[in-house]
């Protein structure tokens, strides 16, 4: 057994359960420090794994990293995604309007404001602020990981999704003031310009394509590490933070799932606009939407 992997799974599923670390430790009959040591990869007995799985209401195989991971809490899903990116040498992103690893600081700052404001408007502001801070911390860690490790990235972004972000701003599904909404639109415009620059310069290890036409019915990520690959699918908009509606995200290392998603992405990449053609299309999108915004 790879205890470091089990520890990562345990942390993600602890967040998914909604239980505090001290609650799980008390029910398990260990100290909170011991639980954290398990999460950091300390040797853990099979009987303890079975008891933990029962507490977390999952299969013991899920803690062992076998089968499919299911997450209904965006925070738990984002933590598991961060863990996988920590081991990934290649990241293939299909769909959506953002590649977080190379997003600008302005984008993250606008998310910070939108998520914090949404937390204050929720039913439990204290809990909401805590969740928003955790989500932002995970996002920051993902960006730092990319800067440190530099895995190769191929991102196929959706023109329709980018148009929507430009028109309504990032985090458009959250309750926000007009000030925050305006900042979200400005951040979306700045991010599209950032993407256009990256498309033109084509940094080593980073390729960004633009999928024309309707938005894909579902986005996904394929992450490849030295030992295995994973497919990640999620109904949670990546800019919605922890305060999002019901849904279930899934992660699997099944070969057939990885292969099928890889083939779909490869076909989309062949048809995608790239380089200066894609950059020109994005700048045309900026020109088309901004006059309408000014007139409004």
């Amino acid at each position: 057994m790879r205890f470091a992997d089990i520890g990562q799974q345990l942390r993600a599923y602890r967040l998914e359960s909604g239980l505090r670390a001290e609650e799980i430790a008390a029910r398990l009959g260990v100290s909170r420090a011991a639980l954290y040591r398990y999460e950091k990869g300390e040797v853990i007995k099979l009987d303890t794994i079975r008891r933990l799985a029962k507490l977390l209401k999952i299969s013991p195989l899920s803690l062992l990293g076998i089968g499919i991971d299911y997450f209904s809490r965006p925070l738990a899903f984002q933590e598991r995604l961060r863990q996988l990116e920590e081991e990934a040498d290649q990241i293939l992103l299909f769909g959506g309007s953002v590649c977080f690893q190379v997003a600008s600081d302005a984008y993250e700052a606008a998310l910070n404001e939108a998520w914090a404001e949404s937390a204050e408007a929720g039913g439990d502001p204290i809990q909401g602020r805590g969740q928003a801070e955790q989500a932002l911390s995970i996002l920051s860690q993902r960006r730092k990981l990319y800067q440190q490790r530099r895995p190769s990235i191929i991102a196929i972004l959706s023109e329709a999704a980018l148009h929507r972000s430009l028109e309504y701003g990032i985090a458009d599904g959250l309750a926000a003031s007009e000030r925050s909404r305006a900042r979200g639109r400005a951040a979306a415009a700045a991010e599209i310009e950032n993407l256009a620059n990256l498309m033109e310069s084509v940094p080593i290890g980073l390729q960004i394509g633009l999928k024309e036409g309707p938005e894909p019915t579902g986005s996904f990520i394929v992450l490849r590490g030295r030992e295995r690959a994973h497919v990640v699918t999620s109904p949670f908009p990546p800019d919605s933070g922890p305060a999002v509606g019901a849904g279930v995200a899934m992660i699997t290392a099944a070969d057939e799932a990885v292969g099928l998603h890889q083939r779909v992405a490869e076909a989309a990449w062949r048809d995608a606009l790239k380089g200066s053609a894609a950059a020109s299309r994005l700048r045309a999108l900026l020109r088309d939407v901004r006059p309408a915004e000014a007139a409004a």
Side-chain angles (χ1 to χ4, degrees), residues 13 34 42 62 71 86 90 103 127 130 136 162 166-167 171 181 193 207 266 271 277:
Y13 276 111
E42 187 173 279
S62 294
F71 297 99
E86 196 170 25
Q90 300 175 343
Q127 182 184 34
L136 285 165
L162 286 163
L166 189 57
E167 188 172 1
R181 188 69 65 212
E193 184 63 40
Q207 300 179 76
E266 287 174 353
D271 296 335

Side-chain angles (χ1 to χ4, degrees), residues 159 199 208-212 268-269 271-275 277-278 281:
E159 181 183 13
M199 287 170 168
I208 303 175
L210 184 65
K211 181 189 179 301
E212 301 174 272
W269 177 254
D271 296 335
L273 287 178
K274 308 172 189 72
R281 186 64 169 260

Side-chain angles (χ1 to χ4, degrees), residues 8-58:
Q8 289 189 331
Q9 295 280 98
L10 173 57
R11 172 171 168 76
Y13 276 111
R14 172 170 65 79
L15 292 173
E16 171 67 14
S17 73
L19 297 171
R20 299 192 307 275
E22 51 266 32
E23 291 180 89
I24 294 175
R27 295 188 192 183
L28 197 63
V30 301
S31 68
R32 184 173 63 174
L35 182 64
Y36 286 144
R37 288 198 300 271
Y38 292 151
E39 292 185 358
K40 290 180 179 179
E42 187 173 279
V43 173
I44 181 171
K45 296 179 180 178
L46 276 174
D47 179 62
T48 304
I49 290 175
R50 284 193 291 267
R51 292 166 61 205
L52 276 167
K54 185 176 181 180
L55 277 173
L56 298 172
K57 298 181 181 179
I58 59 173

